Amino acid sequence: MTSHRWAATALCLVAVVAAQAQWSSPPVPSPIGFQSINDDRFSQLRRQAMQFVESRPRQGFQFVERHRDAEFQVHCRDVPVLWLERRSQHLLLGVSLDAEQRAPAVLQLRALLQWQLQPLGHLEQVLAGVPEPVLLDRVLQMFAGEVPEGVRCGMQ
């Protein structure tokens, strides 16, 4: 009976990985929670993300503002690879699981933004409803395969 469960789990995982390979958007990991910041500080982080995109013309990056002073994203050829979302009590910073292959330069931006923020403690993350990283995220990353050359950004 347990071997059937294992086989069913493996089959589901293969189906999820196959479905992920078919989608144009990458698998999205759980974000990291940070302490809330004021409007000026958020505007400064927003400007840094905009400068990141503007300093890489014709490399496929786009700055997308979802809600002014609340959320922005950096896209690689219309696929979100980094986002910062401001909520009432905390910030969420996320990077797509395939960012290292799809848009490796965005990892530098994540490090720059993350360096300027104060992370929430584990209990604060739980109380804020920030989801814990899921092992399945890492498994999907391992099996996702290569990102096609034509959809990568920042490779010039």
Side-chain angles (χ1 to χ4, degrees), residues 12 33-34 48 55 73 116 118 130 135:
C12 287
F34 294 92
Q48 290 173 345
S55 70
Q73 299 178 348
Q116 300 173 71
Q118 179 68 35
V130 177
L135 178 60

Side-chain angles (χ1 to χ4, degrees), residues 1-13:
M1 197 55 87
T2 59
S3 64
H4 293 291
R5 286 186 200 151
W6 185 88
T9 302
L11 184 59
C12 287
L13 182 60

Side-chain angles (χ1 to χ4, degrees), residues 15-72:
V16 168
V17 171
Q20 288 288 339
Q22 298 294 320
W23 298 334
S24 63
S25 61
V28 178
S30 301
I32 301 171
F34 294 92
Q35 299 287 332
S36 187
I37 56 176
N38 64 32
D39 292 343
D40 291 337
R41 191 77 184 109
F42 189 84
S43 292
Q44 183 180 7
L45 298 176
R46 181 181 163 276
R47 278 193 304 276
Q48 290 173 345
M50 289 175 70
Q51 289 170 348
F52 169 85
V53 171
E54 291 168 358
S55 70
R56 291 162 176 79
R58 298 178 303 280
Q59 289 188 16
F61 289 107
Q62 302 101 22
F63 178 84
V64 177
E65 190 159 41
R66 305 284 296 193
H67 302 285
R68 180 133 180 100
D69 296 326
E71 182 182 0
F72 63 80

Side-chain angles (χ1 to χ4, degrees), residues 78-93:
D78 298 322
V79 175
V81 290
L82 178 140
W83 59 95
L84 184 64
E85 180 183 348
R86 185 175 179 200
R87 295 191 174 174
S88 61
Q89 301 297 318
H90 60 276
L91 296 170
L92 297 177
L93 175 65

Side-chain angles (χ1 to χ4, degrees), residues 3 11 26 58 74-76 90 92 95 100 102-104 107 113-114 118 123 132 139-140 143 151:
S3 64
L11 184 59
R58 298 178 303 280
V74 174
H75 288 199
C76 168
H90 60 276
L92 297 177
V95 175
E100 189 172 350
R102 184 179 295 270
L107 299 179
L113 298 176
Q114 200 167 335
Q118 179 68 35
L123 182 57
E132 295 221 23
V139 172
L140 287 174
F143 292 110
V151 297

Side-chain angles (χ1 to χ4, degrees), residues 106-144:
V106 86
L107 299 179
Q108 296 169 344
L109 176 60
R110 177 190 62 182
L112 174 67
L113 298 176
Q114 200 167 335
W115 175 76
Q116 300 173 71
L117 299 170
Q118 179 68 35
L120 294 175
H122 178 73
L123 182 57
E124 291 173 306
Q125 293 217 29
V126 171
L127 293 174
V130 177
E132 295 221 23
V134 180
L135 178 60
L136 183 58
D137 292 341
R138 303 301 165 215
V139 172
L140 287 174
Q141 182 180 21
M142 289 185 325
F143 292 110

